[in-house]
Structures are given as C-alpha cells and as structure tokens.
Amino acid sequence: MNDKPIGIFDSGVGGTSIWKEIHKLMPNEDTIYLADSKNAPYGEKTKAEILDLSIKNTELLLGKGCKLIVVACNTATTNAIAYLRKNYDLPFIGIEPAIKPAALQSSSKNIGVLATKGTLASDLFYVTSKNHASGISIIVKEGTGLVPLVESGKVDTKETEELLRKYLNPMLQKNIDHLVLGCTHYPYLIPVLKKILPDSVKIIDSGQAVAKQTLHILVQNNLRFQEDRVSNHSFYSNLDPAVLAGFLMEEKASCATSYLDF
Ligand code: DGL
C-alpha cells in the first residue's frame, strides 16, 4: 500500500500550488492530480453540486489506487470533506482558510479573507471564524471572477489587477494587517497582490501547512513510502492539459499532463 500514489483534486489548476508543497516535502511519493477545470468554478455552485463533484473525483482517484486523498480546494473541503471522511475508508486531507494563524498574529485585530462564495457560505467557515477569531474583525470578500482568470492563464494582467484592487480596497480601508488566501488558485496571484498591498500586510497561504499535515497523516497511518526513488506524477485535466502544464513548467520532476474525460 505504501508505494501507492497520493491522490489530489481541485476544481482546476489551483491545487497545483498544493501539489508543489507536497512534492517539495516528499519528493519520493508518487501522485495523481485531477484538475476538474470543465466544472470550474466550484465556488459558484450549490453545496449539493460541490458534493457530487467531490464524490466523482474521489471515486476516480480511488479507482486509480490512491492511498490518501488531498482535497486541494477550499470550496470542496468546506462543503464536502465531512461527507467524504464519513463515507470512504481512506484518509482525507483538506484545506480551509487559515483564519486561526492570522487572528493570532494580527496586531490591528483586523484581518481580510479572500475566498470563493461557496467557501464563505459554508458552515465550516462560519464555525472556524467563530471559534478562532474572537475579538477579531474579519473582512471577507468573494473573489468572483478570479478563478476563471487563473484558469485561463491570465495571472499577471491589468484585468486581474483591477479586480483585485476592487476586492482589496475595502479591506485596506479597514486597516487589515493579514490577508488570508482562501482559495488554492490565489497563490498564483501573489505577485499582483504584492503590487497592491503595502508591506505591512502579511499574506497567509496554507500550502505548506497542508503538505506537513499530509506527511503527518501518512506517517500516522503507516502509509509513508520509505525508499528513495524517482517518483511518478500524472496530471489529468478534463478541459485543456496544456493550460495545466503551464502551471508545472518550472518543475524538475517528470509531470505528465493528459486529457481525461471525467
Ligand atoms: N481552488 C478552489 C478553492 O480553493 C477554487 C474553487 C472554485 O473553483 O471556485 O476554493
């Protein structure tokens, strides 16, 4: 079982930001990545639709023999991970907006959260905000339109910068000192975000924390592959594998991207 791959899925290319952290921490682990770009953005769908898509992705990764699944999507995690954990007999790692560290570190007691509509409307987001940010004012903003821009490779464009300014200005007016990135597509926007945000605003992204948690759960379940090897990585997109490949260009590992109808 230990030599089986780690499965990772997202509504599209954004979860590659998580894959990179996982691969950096555990270079000998094989992985299978699903980019459900045909159905992006998940953030504009209903909870029932997000659940159905998450089940579909999980079944596919299970069929490919994965030993653990990383839900590399805040929207799918906050709406579906409880169901997945209850109904499938393998470990799931999720990602949700890192409100807790931002709240703990904030001096101005004002933090911003940029996430999808689906994440911000979820019960899990509500509970986490309530439990981990008492005495903190959270300024939330739906990042409508950002996922399609990243999906079409329009990362550092004027259009993207203007949209981000529109979402961030109200947060800056409220004196935020931390911005939580609540969507795995958004780390690709960090160069543009840095043009807009003053240095005093710290950007919080949970990619590294997810990779560490993945390692911890693999070890705890005796699933960690122990030997050195050149690992294999299959990336599947149900829309355009060339776009997905564009997000993996700098990787030294062999990352085969292909089309799969799912
Ligand atoms: N990467 C997904 C997330 O982390 C994007 C969701 C979407 O497709 O709207 O939420």
Side-chain angles (χ1 to χ4, degrees), residues 3-16:
D3 63 346
K4 298 285 184 210
I6 295 171
I8 303 171
F9 76 82
D10 178 36
S11 63
V13 299
T16 56

PDB file of all heavy atoms in Angstrom, residues 3-16:
ATOM      1  N   ASP A   3       3.510   2.086  -1.484  1.00  0.00           N
ATOM      2  CA  ASP A   3       4.038   2.574  -2.761  1.00  0.00           C
ATOM      3  C   ASP A   3       2.937   3.105  -3.674  1.00  0.00           C
ATOM      4  O   ASP A   3       3.179   3.507  -4.805  1.00  0.00           O
ATOM      5  CB  ASP A   3       4.851   1.478  -3.467  1.00  0.00           C
ATOM      6  CG  ASP A   3       3.992   0.275  -3.813  1.00  0.00           C
ATOM      7  OD1 ASP A   3       2.855   0.181  -3.278  1.00  0.00           O
ATOM      8  OD2 ASP A   3       4.439  -0.564  -4.612  1.00  0.00           O
ATOM      9  N   LYS A   4       1.706   3.150  -3.185  1.00  0.00           N
ATOM     10  CA  LYS A   4       0.591   3.691  -3.977  1.00  0.00           C
ATOM     11  C   LYS A   4       0.682   5.221  -4.017  1.00  0.00           C
ATOM     12  O   LYS A   4       1.292   5.834  -3.137  1.00  0.00           O
ATOM     13  CB  LYS A   4      -0.756   3.303  -3.344  1.00  0.00           C
ATOM     14  CG  LYS A   4      -0.985   1.814  -3.287  1.00  0.00           C
ATOM     15  CD  LYS A   4      -1.327   1.279  -4.646  1.00  0.00           C
ATOM     16  CE  LYS A   4      -1.642  -0.202  -4.568  1.00  0.00           C
ATOM     17  NZ  LYS A   4      -1.295  -0.909  -5.797  1.00  0.00           N
ATOM     18  N   PRO A   5       0.035   5.829  -5.020  1.00  0.00           N
ATOM     19  CA  PRO A   5       0.133   7.295  -5.108  1.00  0.00           C
ATOM     20  C   PRO A   5      -0.764   8.041  -4.118  1.00  0.00           C
ATOM     21  O   PRO A   5      -1.758   7.496  -3.622  1.00  0.00           O
ATOM     22  CB  PRO A   5      -0.339   7.577  -6.546  1.00  0.00           C
ATOM     23  CG  PRO A   5      -1.161   6.405  -6.928  1.00  0.00           C
ATOM     24  CD  PRO A   5      -0.666   5.219  -6.151  1.00  0.00           C
ATOM     25  N   ILE A   6      -0.391   9.299  -3.896  1.00  0.00           N
ATOM     26  CA  ILE A   6      -1.259  10.247  -3.177  1.00  0.00           C
ATOM     27  C   ILE A   6      -2.179  10.856  -4.243  1.00  0.00           C
ATOM     28  O   ILE A   6      -1.707  11.283  -5.299  1.00  0.00           O
ATOM     29  CB  ILE A   6      -0.410  11.371  -2.540  1.00  0.00           C
ATOM     30  CG1 ILE A   6       0.520  10.817  -1.462  1.00  0.00           C
ATOM     31  CG2 ILE A   6      -1.297  12.485  -1.983  1.00  0.00           C
ATOM     32  CD1 ILE A   6       1.540  11.844  -0.939  1.00  0.00           C
ATOM     33  N   GLY A   7      -3.471  10.876  -3.986  1.00  0.00           N
ATOM     34  CA  GLY A   7      -4.415  11.499  -4.922  1.00  0.00           C
ATOM     35  C   GLY A   7      -4.674  12.937  -4.514  1.00  0.00           C
ATOM     36  O   GLY A   7      -4.751  13.245  -3.321  1.00  0.00           O
ATOM     37  N   ILE A   8      -4.777  13.810  -5.495  1.00  0.00           N
ATOM     38  CA  ILE A   8      -5.029  15.239  -5.218  1.00  0.00           C
ATOM     39  C   ILE A   8      -6.078  15.713  -6.214  1.00  0.00           C
ATOM     40  O   ILE A   8      -5.977  15.417  -7.402  1.00  0.00           O
ATOM     41  CB  ILE A   8      -3.737  16.073  -5.418  1.00  0.00           C
ATOM     42  CG1 ILE A   8      -2.608  15.538  -4.518  1.00  0.00           C
ATOM     43  CG2 ILE A   8      -3.971  17.560  -5.144  1.00  0.00           C
ATOM     44  CD1 ILE A   8      -1.246  16.148  -4.792  1.00  0.00           C
ATOM     45  N   PHE A   9      -7.097  16.451  -5.725  1.00  0.00           N
ATOM     46  CA  PHE A   9      -8.010  17.049  -6.713  1.00  0.00           C
ATOM     47  C   PHE A   9      -8.362  18.484  -6.375  1.00  0.00           C
ATOM     48  O   PHE A   9      -8.310  18.914  -5.233  1.00  0.00           O
ATOM     49  CB  PHE A   9      -9.277  16.191  -6.927  1.00  0.00           C
ATOM     50  CG  PHE A   9     -10.332  16.246  -5.848  1.00  0.00           C
ATOM     51  CD1 PHE A   9     -11.262  17.284  -5.807  1.00  0.00           C
ATOM     52  CD2 PHE A   9     -10.426  15.241  -4.886  1.00  0.00           C
ATOM     53  CE1 PHE A   9     -12.258  17.327  -4.831  1.00  0.00           C
ATOM     54  CE2 PHE A   9     -11.421  15.275  -3.898  1.00  0.00           C
ATOM     55  CZ  PHE A   9     -12.340  16.325  -3.870  1.00  0.00           C
ATOM     56  N   ASP A  10      -8.698  19.204  -7.439  1.00  0.00           N
ATOM     57  CA  ASP A  10      -9.143  20.594  -7.308  1.00  0.00           C
ATOM     58  C   ASP A  10     -10.132  20.850  -8.443  1.00  0.00           C
ATOM     59  O   ASP A  10     -10.230  20.061  -9.393  1.00  0.00           O
ATOM     60  CB  ASP A  10      -7.942  21.555  -7.421  1.00  0.00           C
ATOM     61  CG  ASP A  10      -8.353  23.025  -7.331  1.00  0.00           C
ATOM     62  OD1 ASP A  10      -9.287  23.339  -6.553  1.00  0.00           O
ATOM     63  OD2 ASP A  10      -7.772  23.865  -8.034  1.00  0.00           O
ATOM     64  N   SER A  11     -10.814  21.995  -8.355  1.00  0.00           N
ATOM     65  CA  SER A  11     -11.716  22.379  -9.444  1.00  0.00           C
ATOM     66  C   SER A  11     -10.923  22.743 -10.695  1.00  0.00           C
ATOM     67  O   SER A  11     -11.525  23.026 -11.727  1.00  0.00           O
ATOM     68  CB  SER A  11     -12.542  23.594  -9.017  1.00  0.00           C
ATOM     69  OG  SER A  11     -11.672  24.683  -8.789  1.00  0.00           O
ATOM     70  N   GLY A  12      -9.614  22.772 -10.601  1.00  0.00           N
ATOM     71  CA  GLY A  12      -8.817  23.121 -11.774  1.00  0.00           C
ATOM     72  C   GLY A  12      -7.339  23.148 -11.462  1.00  0.00           C
ATOM     73  O   GLY A  12      -6.831  22.263 -10.765  1.00  0.00           O
ATOM     74  N   VAL A  13      -6.672  24.195 -11.945  1.00  0.00           N
ATOM     75  CA  VAL A  13      -5.211  24.252 -11.849  1.00  0.00           C
ATOM     76  C   VAL A  13      -4.705  24.724 -10.485  1.00  0.00           C
ATOM     77  O   VAL A  13      -3.529  24.550 -10.159  1.00  0.00           O
ATOM     78  CB  VAL A  13      -4.632  25.183 -12.950  1.00  0.00           C
ATOM     79  CG1 VAL A  13      -4.982  24.661 -14.333  1.00  0.00           C
ATOM     80  CG2 VAL A  13      -5.150  26.626 -12.785  1.00  0.00           C
ATOM     81  N   GLY A  14      -5.586  25.349  -9.677  1.00  0.00           N
ATOM     82  CA  GLY A  14      -5.142  25.981  -8.419  1.00  0.00           C
ATOM     83  C   GLY A  14      -4.456  25.021  -7.456  1.00  0.00           C
ATOM     84  O   GLY A  14      -3.479  25.378  -6.799  1.00  0.00           O
ATOM     85  N   GLY A  15      -4.951  23.792  -7.400  1.00  0.00           N
ATOM     86  CA  GLY A  15      -4.396  22.817  -6.454  1.00  0.00           C
ATOM     87  C   GLY A  15      -2.954  22.438  -6.752  1.00  0.00           C
ATOM     88  O   GLY A  15      -2.279  21.820  -5.925  1.00  0.00           O
ATOM     89  N   THR A  16      -2.444  22.836  -7.941  1.00  0.00           N
ATOM     90  CA  THR A  16      -1.018  22.573  -8.213  1.00  0.00           C
ATOM     91  C   THR A  16      -0.152  23.353  -7.218  1.00  0.00           C
ATOM     92  O   THR A  16       0.984  22.976  -6.966  1.00  0.00           O
ATOM     93  CB  THR A  16      -0.622  22.963  -9.661  1.00  0.00           C
ATOM     94  OG1 THR A  16      -0.963  24.331  -9.878  1.00  0.00           O
ATOM     95  CG2 THR A  16      -1.315  22.084 -10.687  1.00  0.00           C
TER      96      THR A  16
END
